[in-house]
């Protein structure tokens, strides 16, 4: 999808991009174009949209770019929080986290892993000295890693400002954050079966939830995942 959107953006004038397009099968092209259309990055005539142009400027996957761009719209108005979540996901490996960690348990949110990451970032950002070290160790990060997260957050913020987007959110609204996430990842919805396993709604596939996911603490009836 990334290569195809850039191919459309550059109006087929880039020879390397044009040559690359020949390597895609019809099915790959259809699926990628369908995904770009759902993300509102192209219109029905395959013209790139304003949102698509913004996505190309962001150093993120297109799913994450769509999430970030949507979070700044009046419908969701949670850009300040989503930009933290996206930045944390860049450096934190959820699979290695211990859901039984005494420190992490203080910040676990029943709304899922992403809200938990947001809570952890806010706590670390407010802490100092030994307390900050303990929090960082609980998510397997160093102070240098956390500085990288903050620098990446600044990069995203400045890039979005150039694109004319700035956060208007004043206080955290968890429901708005959840709605924003679901608006992008609705194809990844799963439901809990009677056997205690999660089944993808779209194709009925059984999914294995990572042992590091905080969802294991609550086992909600429905979840939406970002990646497998």
């Amino acid at each position: 999808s990334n290569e195809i959107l850039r191919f459309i953006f550059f109006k087929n004038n880039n020879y390397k991009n044009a040559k690359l397009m020949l390597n895609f099968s019809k099915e790959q092209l259809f699926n990628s174009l369908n995904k770009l259309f759902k993300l509102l990055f192209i219109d029905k005539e395959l013209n790139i949209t304003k949102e698509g142009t913004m996505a190309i400027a962001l150093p993120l996957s297109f799913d994450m770019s769509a999430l970030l761009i949507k979070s700044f719209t009046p419908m969701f108005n949670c850009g300040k929080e989503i930009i933290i979540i996206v930045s944390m996901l860049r450096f934190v490996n959820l699979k290695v986290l211990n859901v039984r960690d005494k420190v992490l348990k203080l910040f676990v949110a029943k709304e899922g892993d992403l809200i938990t990451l947001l809570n952890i970032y806010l706590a670390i950002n407010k802490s100092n000295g030994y307390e900050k070290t303990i929090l960082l160790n609980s998510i397997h990060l160093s102070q240098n890693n956390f500085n990288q997260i903050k620098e990446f957050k600044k990069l995203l913020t400045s890039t979005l400002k150039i694109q004319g987007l700035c956060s208007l959110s004043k206080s955290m609204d968890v429901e708005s954050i959840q709605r924003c996430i679901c608006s992008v990842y609705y194809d990844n919805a799963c439901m809990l079966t009677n056997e205690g396993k999660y089944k993808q709604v779209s194709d009925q596939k059984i999914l294995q939830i990572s042992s590091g996911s905080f969802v294991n603490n609550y086992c909600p009836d429905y979840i939406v995942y970002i990646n497998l």
Side-chain angles (χ1 to χ4, degrees), residues 112-152:
D113 295 342
L114 302 190
I115 306 299
T116 297
L117 281 182
L118 175 60
N119 290 343
I120 293 170
Y121 176 92
L122 295 174
I124 294 173
N125 205 37
K126 291 179 181 178
S127 63
N128 293 295
Y130 184 63
E131 181 186 358
K132 176 175 281 191
T133 301
I134 291 176
L135 288 170
L136 287 169
N137 288 341
S138 70
I139 56 173
H140 303 276
L141 290 182
S142 64
Q143 179 61 55
N144 183 54
N145 294 142
F146 191 66
N147 290 339
Q148 288 178 306
I149 291 172
K150 295 178 78 171
E151 285 301 314
F152 188 67

Side-chain angles (χ1 to χ4, degrees), residues 187-206:
D187 281 341
N188 297 347
C190 301
M191 63 183 294
L192 187 65
T193 66
N194 293 332
E195 293 77 30
K197 298 180 179 180
Y198 281 100
K199 178 171 64 176
Q200 192 153 310
V201 174
S202 59
D203 57 15
Q204 305 298 298
K205 286 183 179 178
I206 298 295

